[in-house]
Amino acid sequence: MRRRGTVVSQDKNQNLLEGFKAFILRGNVIDLAVAVVIGAAFTNIVNAIVKGVISPVVGAFGTKNLESYRSCLKAPCQVNESGEVVQGVAILWGSVLSATLSFLITAAVVYFLMVLPMARYLACRAALQKERSGVAETLEVTELEVLKEIRDALVTQRGAGRAAP
């Protein structure tokens, strides 16, 4: 004979496992995992574009290394050989500019190469689905009308058969 508490705990464990299985197999979790992996791989491409294309273009107006752009807030600013500020207060706006450009490039590429085509695909798919459901709805209405006519004919036949005797 089982105790009541044992059965409840087994049911609870089974419900937890079923819930976890449903969570893992839900499309959102898998989509998110794929997005993280693709995003990590995509970061390398964006960094290469920034380093190989954007930085040289910006470098035409100044230095090729955006990280080296800085302003001195409190003079005198002195920088050692490794690029660290040893005296004064420096604002490193070049690194902010570099990160902002990387973000904008990433957002543009993701939007134009992933989001926009997927939105167009989903819109076409929804239009086809709507068209198919419209045809199915028309068929259902037609079938319903035929069934009503059959019912009315049967009622008429029964009514005529009862009135005759």
Side-chain angles (χ1 to χ4, degrees), residues 3-74:
R3 289 184 180 150
R4 183 174 171 90
T6 308
V7 173
V8 171
S9 65
Q10 287 175 351
D11 290 342
K12 186 176 181 181
N13 288 340
Q14 194 171 20
N15 287 339
L16 285 173
L17 290 176
E18 288 174 7
F20 180 72
K21 181 180 174 184
F23 172 74
I24 291 298
L25 295 178
R26 187 182 307 166
N28 297 343
V29 174
I30 294 169
D31 291 344
L32 181 60
V34 169
V36 167
V37 171
I38 295 296
F42 189 70
T43 300
N44 292 331
I45 294 170
V46 172
N47 288 340
I49 291 171
V50 170
K51 184 179 178 183
V53 177
I54 303 298
S55 292
V57 169
V58 173
F61 303 106
T63 67
K64 290 185 180 181
N65 184 6
L66 290 177
E67 304 289 326
S68 67
Y69 288 116
R70 61 180 63 138
S71 297
C72 190
L73 185 64
K74 185 175 180 183

Side-chain angles (χ1 to χ4, degrees), residues 110-126:
V110 166
Y111 179 75
F112 290 113
L113 296 182
M114 294 178 175
V115 173
L116 198 58
M118 184 58 94
R120 287 182 181 163
Y121 169 74
L122 292 176
C124 289
R125 191 171 171 188

